[in-house]
Amino acid sequence: MKTISYLHFSLKNITFYLSFLLIIIALVIPFFQISLYLMHVLILMFYYIGYSSSWNLLAYSGQVSFGHAAFLGIGAYITTLFTIRTSLPFIGVLIGAIVSAFIGLLIGLTCVRLREWFLALVTFGFSIIMIALTIELDEFTGGTLGLIVPKLFPSINQYQYYFYYYYIMLTLAVFLVLISQFIIRSKVGLAFAAIRENELEAKATGINVMKYKLLAFTISAFFTGLTGAFYAHFIGFINHQIYSPENSFWPIIINVIGGLATIEGPVIGSILRFFIIEFLRIMEPWVRTISPGMITIYPKMQILIFGAILVVVIILMPKGIAPQLRKFLTPKE
Amino acid sequence: MLLAISPPILIQIIVWGLIVGCIYVLLASGLNLIFGVMKVVNFAHGEFMILGGYISYSLSIFVGLNPYLSIFVSMIVVGVLGVIIERVCFHQILGTSKLNELILSLGLIYVLQNTMSILWTDYPVLINSPFESRVLDWVIIIGITMLIMTGFYILIRRTKIGRAMRATSQNRVAAMLMGINVEHINMLSFGLGTALAATAGTLLAIITSITPYSGEIPALKAFTIIILGGLGSPLGAVIGGLGYGLIESVAVTVLGGTWRDAVGFIILILVLIIRPMGLFGEKEI
């Protein structure tokens, strides 16, 4: 038996080579003189990887947040306000993440006793309250008109900015995936998993449930704030829309499609999201040749098709793609 | 702050709160029924509501039907659609992770919203009431809500089907063992729930204009209401819905329209801090 298992590639090896290959591909893409648009979309893909990985850290402890846009927006707003006043964007990004972590701790304190839908709705409520607060404090936050976010670093033109930003976002995404891996494999991650599987049993084995739940909230909010801050400097503009429900639901969609409570889930989900949306966009000229009348409703058709894909994927693969992929990659006995 | 408001305005606030409350009652009762029986949260409930509103709108424009009568037509259409969606979508994922319901609902929200947007465009739509005075409209809206809720109550409390629904929501396996066809009950409650949403949508389109996207937030508010009123409790949905409408109406007058959506969640958070299992929920270990 031993000889057989070592002749095969082990699952760990395959995932290692695959992720290595993915990173190499990601590193060389900008050198192929790709369009500004593609650059933009790829940067957003890395942003979604980072954002959903941060969300995943909280979900890993069994707490599902429906309002992560709150942390995203706090990170974005704090760095913007700080950078406008001091023009030190990198410190601003860090402060944004720290403030977000602090708010995460406070929200966590109200949430530790809640479960399932109660928790989901309370976190969602916080993101809705943030919208109202942002509009209310308009002399400070710009209200619905929003704020122009200063650039993270000076650049000659847009392309150069995107070129460097691509690597910043890539680093952030890889960093967040690695750090999730590190946290999940550590003793803390083990405690998170224990709480997720059975809170009462976890308590009985001597895990301080409250402490670890709060820790999960704080860590997740910190990284979400960090991602949000980098996102704001990239997009260059923020308003209350950053707290919109849609922004809160994206990491859930990505994680559930990719595979909940797995490390590769956010990556698979984000890449898939990118391909589906881009595929629908590429189909546009084709639709135009087939029936010119369709073109006015095509943007709506795109979202409609996306929704239908979501429904079909969930019905066919209720556990997400990652477990299926693992099964496929594991060598059969 | 409320004392500074003159009596006529206060009456206006209360009346408006009651009318909005009626819509929340219908919406929350439907959602509550679906949750009670299937233990599934249908976040696309708001879209069924708006669809009901649009169907009534089309009937009143193209057929010239009185909008209050067209409620019953849109109830049937949306109810049948609800049954189909239950069969094709929700039935398939029963018993898997709770998040799957959310993602499925999100997918349905995208599909329904954009289908409506293609069929009826994005322009806000208002059903013109056949009556001259607004007051008469308001009275009719409250009357229709009472009528439908009474019918709903009789169905749940006094008929065999209603008893089967209550049995299923109490204990699924036991109900199955007693010879109740649980799958049929699922279909029926989903259809009934969405039909109630269609009523809410028609009434909403009569008092204010709707767009394909205006169902998202009300559905979440309805969910807040059933959590506050105790998950699965029919009376909780009614009291919660009316209370929510009133509170929202007061909050909009006192704090301004910005807080319309936030105030309900603030109350929810405050309540859940004190009672983590909801107002009427049972304490768990």
Side-chain angles (χ1 to χ4, degrees):
Chain A
M1 278 308 273
K2 254 186 184 166
T3 44
I4 294 170
S5 64
Y6 111 22
L7 281 174
H8 276 99
F9 275 112
S10 77
L11 178 62
K12 206 175 162 188
N13 273 332
I14 294 178
T15 30
F16 177 75
Y17 289 128
L18 266 179
S19 38
F20 195 68
L21 192 71
L22 271 179
I23 290 175
I24 295 289
I25 292 173
L27 279 174
V28 297
I29 281 176
F31 290 103
F32 286 98
Q33 292 294 316
I34 55 171
S35 70
L36 207 60
Y37 172 80
L38 196 58
M39 207 73 154
H40 184 101
V41 183
L42 283 171
I43 293 171
L44 282 186
M45 185 179 92
F46 296 138
Y47 149 74
Y48 276 112
I49 293 178
Y51 182 18
S52 351
S53 295
S54 318
W55 182 89
N56 196 17
L57 274 175
L58 184 60
Y60 200 79
S61 73
Q63 305 180 92
V64 171
S65 157
F66 278 26
H68 245 50
F71 306 126
L72 195 74
I74 287 166
Y77 265 107
I78 296 293
T79 181
T80 308
L81 294 170
F82 186 81
T83 313
I84 287 174
R85 280 161 184 74
T86 62
S87 46
L88 292 168
F90 281 101
I91 299 174
V93 165
L94 205 63
I95 290 180
I98 290 168
V99 172
S100 171
F102 181 68
I103 305 273
L105 183 67
L106 291 184
I107 294 181
L109 276 174
T110 64
C111 289
V112 277
R113 293 200 297 162
L114 305 176
R115 279 182 204 181
E116 292 174 1
W117 294 120
F118 294 79
L119 173 71
L121 222 57
V122 165
T123 45
F124 181 79
F126 275 111
S127 72
I128 297 290
I129 292 168
M130 286 310 294
I131 295 181
L133 270 179
T134 310
I135 296 173
E136 199 73 2
L137 303 170
D138 54 351
E139 70 259 41
F140 193 55
T141 61
T144 48
L145 293 175
L147 291 172
I148 304 280
V149 188
K151 283 189 171 182
L152 199 59
F153 48 85
S155 62
I156 320 165
N157 56 24
Q158 189 81 341
Y159 195 86
Q160 199 203 25
Y161 190 64
Y162 275 27
F163 187 84
Y164 289 120
Y165 222 106
Y166 180 94
Y167 288 106
I168 291 179
M169 270 314 201
L170 177 62
T171 317
L172 182 73
V174 172
F175 169 72
L176 285 179
V177 171
L178 286 180
I179 206 125
S180 328
Q181 166 99 349
F182 174 73
I183 291 173
I184 286 172
R185 291 285 153 82
S186 72
K187 216 176 154 186
V188 176
L190 217 55
F192 286 174
I195 294 169
R196 183 189 68 218
E197 295 306 330
N198 191 330
E199 207 177 308
L200 202 62
E201 274 178 22
K203 212 181 265 178
T205 47
I207 294 170
N208 189 339
V209 173
M210 178 114 161
K211 181 182 126 192
Y212 280 106
K213 274 186 160 182
L214 282 178
L215 189 66
F217 245 106
T218 317
I219 296 174
S220 177
F222 180 84
F223 290 127
T224 312
L226 194 70
T227 320
F230 277 111
Y231 172 73
H233 284 294
F234 169 62
I235 293 292
F237 167 78
I238 46 167
N239 67 355
H240 66 289
Q241 292 281 339
I242 196 163
Y243 298 112
S244 66
E246 198 178 311
N247 246 344
S248 295
F249 289 154
W250 270 120
I252 315 177
I253 296 178
I254 288 170
N255 270 299
V256 172
I257 298 274
L260 202 62
T262 58
I263 292 153
E264 63 271 32
V267 182
I268 296 172
S270 304
I271 294 175
L272 200 69
R273 176 191 174 277
F274 162 79
F275 275 113
I276 292 172
I277 290 180
E278 287 314 297
F279 173 75
L280 290 174
R281 197 185 64 85
I282 289 166
M283 292 304 278
E284 200 177 306
W286 183 75
V287 171
R288 189 176 289 155
T289 50
I290 282 190
S291 80
M294 274 274 280
I295 210 68
T296 49
I297 56 165
Y298 191 68
K300 286 161 191 166
M301 287 291 284
Q302 277 181 331
I303 312 176
L304 201 159
I305 295 167
F306 185 79
I309 291 174
L310 219 54
V311 170
V312 171
V313 168
I314 278 305
I315 290 173
L316 294 183
M317 286 183 279
K319 283 207 164 115
I321 292 167
Q324 303 270 345
L325 207 66
R326 274 189 195 178
K327 214 189 284 169
F328 179 72
L329 289 177
T330 317
K332 289 173 188 64
E333 286 293 318
Chain B
M1 258 196 280
L2 206 57
L3 292 173
I5 297 165
S6 62
I9 295 180
L10 195 64
I11 289 170
Q12 228 174 45
I13 294 171
I14 291 171
V15 168
W16 186 251
L18 279 179
I19 288 164
V20 177
C22 281
I23 289 164
Y24 285 142
V25 166
L26 290 167
L27 199 62
S29 298
L31 198 64
N32 203 18
L33 178 71
I34 297 171
F35 183 85
V37 172
M38 296 174 68
K39 306 285 178 270
V40 155
V41 176
N42 172 25
F43 282 98
H45 209 62
E47 274 57 44
F48 287 103
M49 167 176 92
I50 299 298
L51 183 65
Y54 270 115
I55 289 171
S56 299
Y57 167 76
S58 294
L59 283 173
S60 70
I61 293 285
F62 298 113
V63 188
L65 199 65
N66 184 318
Y68 294 110
L69 292 176
S70 63
I71 285 178
F72 299 98
V73 182
S74 68
M75 261 177 108
I76 293 167
V77 175
V78 175
V80 170
L81 182 75
V83 170
I84 294 169
I85 285 180
E86 196 278 325
R87 274 293 94 178
V88 178
C89 305
F90 282 96
H91 177 69
Q92 315 290 332
I93 58 143
L94 275 185
T96 60
S97 147
K98 281 196 166 44
L99 279 179
N100 287 346
E101 296 157 16
L102 172 79
I103 305 297
L104 185 64
S105 311
L106 276 179
L108 282 176
I109 287 176
Y110 290 144
V111 171
L112 288 171
Q113 271 183 354
N114 290 288
T115 313
M116 287 190 284
S117 158
I118 288 166
L119 289 176
W120 284 286
T121 73
D122 285 347
Y123 293 106
V125 149
L126 180 73
I127 299 178
N128 287 317
S129 154
F131 307 111
E132 282 292 312
S133 83
R134 290 306 267 170
V135 179
L136 192 60
D137 269 335
W138 295 345
V139 173
I140 293 177
I141 285 173
I142 293 174
I144 285 188
T145 310
M146 279 165 72
L147 185 80
I148 287 177
M149 287 313 294
T150 316
F152 180 65
Y153 179 82
I154 291 170
L155 182 76
I156 294 289
R157 283 280 151 189
R158 295 274 182 271
T159 64
K160 222 174 167 183
I161 294 169
R163 200 186 299 153
M165 280 178 180
R166 279 183 289 141
T168 315
S169 80
Q170 270 175 17
N171 191 332
R172 210 179 171 76
V173 178
M176 223 186 283
L177 291 174
M178 293 300 121
I180 293 170
N181 191 334
V182 180
E183 307 236 318
H184 285 180
I185 295 296
N186 277 352
M187 279 160 68
L188 210 65
S189 13
F190 206 93
L192 202 62
T194 47
L196 283 176
T199 323
T202 311
L203 298 181
L204 184 71
I206 290 170
I207 59 167
T208 107
S209 51
I210 55 169
T211 68
Y213 310 103
S214 45
E216 239 174 70
I217 296 289
L220 280 154
K221 285 182 190 164
F223 191 35
T224 314
I225 290 165
I226 65 171
I227 279 196
L228 282 175
L231 283 170
S233 144
L235 190 68
V238 174
I239 295 172
L242 286 176
Y244 196 97
L246 282 173
I247 288 169
E248 197 179 276
S249 177
V250 171
V252 167
T253 324
V254 176
L255 297 170
T258 320
W259 293 89
R260 182 191 298 276
D261 298 334
V263 69
F265 288 108
I266 294 176
I267 293 167
L268 176 82
I269 291 166
L270 292 179
V271 168
L272 288 184
I273 286 175
I274 301 161
R275 283 184 66 88
M277 50 289 187
L279 276 181
F280 306 108
E282 298 287 314
K283 190 172 165 55
E284 290 174 54
I285 307 161

